[in-house]
Amino acid sequence: MVVYEQEPFNAEPPRTALAERLRTPLDTFYCRNHGPVPALTPAEWRLSVDGMVERPLELSLNQLRHRFEEAEVAATLQCAGNRRADLVEVRDIPGEAPWGPGVTSSATFRGVRLADVLAAAGLTPEAAHIAFVAPDIAPAADPPQPYGGSIPVSKALQPEVLLAWAMNDRPLPRIHGAPLRVVVPGWIGARSVKWLTRVTAQATPSDNYFQATAYRILPAEADPGQAGPAEGISLGPIALNCAILRPDDNTRLPAGPTGITGYALAGEERTVARVDVSADGGHSWVQADLDRAASPWLWQHWRTILDLPPGEVEVAARAWDSTGALMPASPADLWNPKGYANNSWARIRLTCR
């Protein structure tokens, strides 16, 4: 893993470790944290469900397992800062980890549907948002506070949104949110809150720092240190994106036919329709072979062979989604002072001999 911080622990796998894997091994799955990993005892842990509900609940893990139907979803989670390093090349982004394309990983999660738990609590008609709270204290928040966020009721009631206790057929690891986490497929990873302890139905989005102030795209000229709640664009569904996973960036290799592989992800309920790859920085393109969409919530892997000339070569990749949308060409057009949502063309630089 490429480790950016030990406390809180933040790390991503090398890009080549993600190549051709539909599911990411647990020891390779990226880690994005804002505070120390909390020490929770599963036997003592409880989930509170409150707010605009007719029947507030307090549930143990055992009650969740036996009271509600078990469900499973295969999903790709992606940090909103994925591929921030490309934006840093345009202009510095102080205080933010220069993530590569590896803060994207896929797993099969098992648990219960959030919709079933909310049905048992009895949502009132006034409820428009579902807020999540965890006990990990984030010192970077202003003021320091437990991590939280929210999603609209319309998303919370979809069958793919889970309260999960298992990951890749194993108990959820502590670093990934045990004993229980939210999984919100198709949305930025920040909304899949780990170490969940409270679910609150409310009329407005969460006022937690990580919903109201962070994870928002600010204008390029804005000072994020001075930005207040509700400024900028709140991030939710993942933007169409792709990355080149093999060969690695800045690799020296023989000229000639070379296999190029990567992933593409459309976000929300869209799928990837096409991936193009270029060996001349985007002047000409070859359409890659693209895996079918195994699920609207999972990435799709792609591959092609390019005849690389001797010398310095820039390989670029771009994806189209099922709505006909195309990734933008330049990270300069997407630069923002927190480095979120970079979905410009993926590029690597190779030296061929």
Side-chain angles (χ1 to χ4, degrees):
M1 300 289 277
V2 180
V3 178
Y4 296 98
E5 289 180 279
Q6 289 287 351
E7 189 68 68
F9 186 68
N10 286 298
E12 67 176 307
R15 69 174 74 212
T16 55
L18 298 176
E20 303 289 355
R21 293 179 181 267
L22 191 60
R23 296 199 305 180
T24 308
L26 297 187
D27 60 358
T28 309
F29 205 100
Y30 81 88
C31 293
R32 176 63 175 116
N33 299 304
H34 291 277
V37 175
L40 301 176
T41 304
E44 298 175 355
W45 171 92
R46 295 293 183 273
L47 175 68
S48 297
V49 183
D50 58 17
M52 292 179 169
V53 296
E54 297 171 352
R55 298 173 294 276
L57 304 174
E58 185 168 294
L59 300 164
S60 68
L61 197 59
N62 190 56
Q63 287 171 320
L64 274 173
R65 286 176 176 271
H66 291 93
R67 183 171 173 179
F68 301 98
E69 180 184 21
E70 196 168 284
E72 191 171 84
V73 66
T76 300
L77 301 185
Q78 184 173 96
C79 176
N82 188 57
R83 298 184 56 215
R84 180 181 285 136
D86 297 342
L87 299 180
V88 173
E89 289 186 13
V90 174
R91 184 170 148 198
D92 191 26
I93 303 175
E96 300 292 341
W99 297 109
V103 270
T104 305
S105 300
S106 299
T108 299
F109 296 93
R110 189 168 67 252
V112 298
R113 297 179 186 90
L114 175 59
D116 292 347
V117 175
L118 294 175
L123 277 181
T124 66
E126 298 79 15
H129 298 268
I130 304 300
F132 310 117
V133 176
D136 52 319
I137 301 296
D142 185 17
Q145 59 193 265
Y147 186 86
S150 64
I151 58 175
V153 163
S154 58
K155 179 65 176 179
L157 296 182
Q158 296 304 307
E160 70 273 6
V161 180
L162 299 189
L163 304 180
W165 58 69
M167 184 177 181
N168 285 354
D169 303 317
R170 292 171 55 187
L172 189 66
R174 183 180 167 208
I175 192 67
H176 292 301
L180 194 78
R181 73 172 298 166
V182 189
V183 177
V184 186
W187 283 48
I188 62 169
R191 307 303 175 224
S192 292
V193 175
K194 295 181 283 190
W195 311 294
L196 184 68
T197 56
R198 183 176 295 275
V199 174
T200 301
Q202 53 195 56
T204 58
S206 171
D207 62 0
N208 186 276
Y209 175 84
F210 294 98
Q211 181 79 40
T213 303
Y215 292 107
R216 306 180 77 92
I217 293 186
L218 300 170
E221 67 276 8
D223 178 357
Q226 301 299 316
E231 292 187 29
I233 302 168
S234 181
L235 293 170
I238 294 170
L240 170 66
N241 215 329
C242 80
I244 300 168
L245 298 177
R246 189 183 292 148
D248 205 351
D249 192 22
N250 295 312
T251 297
R252 299 178 66 88
L253 71 174
T258 303
I260 312 291
T261 65
Y263 70 73
L265 179 65
E268 197 44 314
E269 294 186 0
R270 306 180 307 275
T271 55
V272 178
R274 190 174 103 201
V275 173
D276 301 328
V277 187
S278 170
D280 53 15
H283 295 288
S284 61
W285 298 90
V286 172
Q287 188 170 336
D289 294 325
L290 176 66
D291 289 349
R292 69 176 183 85
S295 156
W297 316 117
L298 272 176
W299 57 14
Q300 294 164 248
H301 287 273
W302 54 266
R303 62 205 58 79
T304 193
I305 295 176
L306 298 180
D307 192 9
L308 301 182
E312 302 298 316
V313 178
E314 180 183 87
V315 177
R318 64 185 187 186
W320 305 71
D321 74 14
S322 51
T323 72
L326 170 65
M327 293 167 56
S330 173
D333 295 333
L334 299 171
W335 191 94
N336 61 89
K338 296 292 285 183
Y340 293 140
N342 175 32
N343 71 331
S344 61
W345 295 353
R347 302 174 191 265
I348 59 171
R349 297 164 184 84
L350 305 172
T351 301
C352 300
R353 56 187 188 278

